[in-house]
Each structure stands twice: as structure tokens, then as C-alpha cells.
Amino acid sequence: MTRTVKEADREKVAERLLKGSAKHSYDPQIDVDWDAPLDPDKFFLPPRLLSLYGTPLWESMTREQRIELSRQEMANIMSVGLWFENILNQALLRKLLSDDPTTRHSQYALTEMGDECRHMLMFGKLIDRVGARPYRKSPLRLTVIKTLPFTFRGTMLWVAALIGEEIFDALQRDMMDDPELQPIVRQVMRIHVTEEARHITYARQGVVRRMARSGRLEKELTGRLAGLGGPFMDLQFINPEMYRRAGLDPREAVRQARANPHHRRSRIDGFAKLAAFLRENDVLKGSAVRLWRRAGFLA
Ligand SMILES: [Fe+2]
Ligand SMILES: [Fe+2]
């Protein structure tokens, strides 16, 4: 009985998300003004959210160097977004292989995958448009990343989706109205935030539904795997290569970024809403809390 009620709820949410998608979806090829000139004096990410903001290194940089760092950090985040959305789509597609294609739930998964395909195209175009180059993974890291879709199963699929989506979403919401930002970056972020809001609803509902019916083993495993998200996200935010491309000493820049209280604050703020949700649903606890704290995402 509970199961049936839960399935009905699931369908209702999916129906609402499908309607929302029909009304508010974007085609980045058309809906972003790619020909608009860049403003040489504007940032690609707000200074206060850059990893080196407020450090001695930052204080020694000219405005031009700071803008260049913002271009590289933005391109790094877009590159992370690209591979993350790629593996999320792989995991969703694998799940659909065994799901009932007549349900609204499956149909929304397909809609979300379509959104992510357009986002990947949009991120690639943005990296190119701002004159940056994508950040590629080393063969070793790529091997690890390629195995991730196989671990995104059951509750973990939805938790992984939220880890990839909510932290960046919180940061994007915080910055998309910043007048210091390049208009093209603001356009991309508005589109992304609108469409990701539906993905987040979908994944959150997945966590609640699965946690209510999964056994102890699945819960335990989800908690432990979710903990690995912390160190993993840490590696994504501070990429030595982006400092090198910005003309800085990568070792010194990494050292200062890691010790930077401003950067720690923006990580904590970015993770706060998701952390509260994961705690409420019994996912974030024990060793997972320690790992996220050590990675600088929890106070
Ligand atoms: Fe996306
Ligand atoms: Fe998404």
C-alpha cells in the first residue's frame, strides 16, 4: 500500500516537472547571445568567490590578473560540469534500460538528460567564447571517472546527482545577478539555474523515496560513498592547472587557496542547503561528516 502511494507521488512530481520543462526550457544555441562582445573590465566569476580572494597572492595581483584568474576558474568549473553531467546521463540511461518507459518518472529522466546534453553544449561554447580552453582529466582520473556511473545506483544515484548539482547551483544563484560579471556568463547561469531547479527536485525526491524503503546495507553503503564526495569535490575546486594558466606559481597558489578562510566560507555556504537535506534524510553522518569537514565543506 505504502509502495503504491509512493509510486503515485513519484508520478505526480514527474508530471509537474514535465509540465515545467515544456514551459521553461532553453536552447542555448538560440537563447544565449554568443555574439555579444566581452567586457574587458568584467569578471568571469565574482572576485569574492574565487579561491584566492583575500590571500597575500591575491593582494599582489593586478585587476587584469584577477580577471584572468576568474576566466580560468570559470572554465575549470564548466569543465567539471561537463564531465559530471556526462556521467550522470550515463547512469540515468543505464537505469532506464530496466525501467518502465510509460511512466512519467522515466519520461522525466529522458527530459533531464536532454537538458544536460544542452548544458554540456552550452558549457563547451562558453569556454570557447571566453577564450579559455577546457580542463582535461589525466588518464588516471579519467579511468576513475569512467567507473563512477556504475556506482551511481539506488539511493547513491540521487545523492551523487545532488552532490554534483546543488553545490554549484547554490554558487550560481549567489552570483547570477552580480553586475561585475560578464553578461554572457550571467545568461548561461540563469538558464542553468532554471533547469537545474527541476533536476534537484527530482533527485531530492529520489533520495527521500529510496531512503524510506532501502535496507540497512544500502543505507550504510550510501552514507560511506556519500562521504567520498567531499574529497572528490575538493579536488575539482582547486585545480593547479588553472593557476598555471593564469600565470601564477601553481604550488604556491594551491597552498594559499587551501588555507584561505574566504574560500572555505564559500564552500561551506555552497554545501549548507544540501548538507541540511542529507542530514535530515540520514545520509550525512559518521565518517561522511568527517570527510566533508576535512575537505572544507562543513564548519
Ligand atoms: Fe546541468
Ligand atoms: Fe542537472
Side-chain angles (χ1 to χ4, degrees), residues 128-277:
D128 192 34
R129 178 66 190 90
V130 303
R133 298 308 308 146
Y135 287 84
R136 315 299 279 269
K137 293 286 167 201
S138 68
L140 178 68
R141 286 201 185 166
L142 212 49
T143 308
V144 174
I145 288 170
K146 281 181 180 169
T147 65
L148 289 178
F150 299 99
T151 67
F152 292 1
R153 307 169 68 155
T155 318
M156 198 52 214
L157 166 63
W158 307 116
V159 172
L162 289 173
I163 291 172
E165 289 174 338
E166 277 215 50
I167 300 174
F168 290 121
D169 183 71
L171 294 171
Q172 287 173 352
R173 278 176 192 274
D174 187 26
M175 70 176 82
M176 65 184 183
D177 296 320
D178 193 320
E180 279 232 78
L181 217 53
Q182 294 284 353
I184 199 163
V185 176
R186 280 159 59 184
Q187 284 180 46
V188 165
M189 288 187 176
R190 279 207 199 99
I191 290 179
H192 201 239
V193 160
T194 305
E195 298 186 339
E196 288 298 318
R198 296 191 291 262
H199 303 178
I200 290 170
T201 302
Y202 187 62
R204 278 188 167 218
Q205 193 219 20
V207 170
V208 174
R209 194 178 59 243
R210 288 292 307 205
M211 285 304 273
R213 71 171 207 227
S214 58
R216 256 192 67 184
L217 184 68
E218 185 177 334
K219 283 185 180 158
E220 202 49 42
L221 207 62
T222 305
R224 284 172 196 273
L225 283 173
L228 297 178
F232 204 76
M233 289 302 276
D234 175 46
L235 277 178
Q236 312 313 321
F237 272 97
I238 296 186
N239 179 349
E241 177 64 12
M242 67 191 187
Y243 302 120
R244 199 187 59 75
R245 290 191 196 174
L248 302 166
D249 170 6
R251 283 181 69 153
E252 186 53 22
V254 167
R255 194 186 66 74
Q256 293 198 23
R258 288 212 184 285
N260 184 5
H262 293 285
H263 182 57
R264 193 178 168 93
R265 182 40 46 204
S266 64
R267 282 185 182 202
I268 291 172
D269 291 347
F271 186 50
K273 255 175 77 185
L274 176 58
F277 172 79

Side-chain angles (χ1 to χ4, degrees), residues 52-104:
L52 289 172
Y53 178 75
T55 59
L57 197 53
W58 175 262
E59 296 308 329
S60 74
M61 290 160 73
T62 62
R63 183 173 171 92
E64 214 184 333
Q65 285 175 312
R66 291 172 177 178
I67 290 177
E68 183 54 29
L69 177 66
S70 77
R71 187 203 318 266
Q72 297 305 333
E73 289 208 16
M74 192 273 282
N76 179 59
I77 286 183
M78 292 299 130
S79 304
V80 172
L82 269 156
W83 69 251
F84 171 75
E85 301 201 340
N86 181 311
I87 58 174
L88 176 64
N89 269 10
Q90 289 182 43
L92 286 172
L93 197 53
R94 289 169 59 83
K95 180 172 152 23
L96 282 173
L97 209 50
S98 55
D99 282 358
D100 177 353
T102 64
T103 64
R104 293 289 179 265

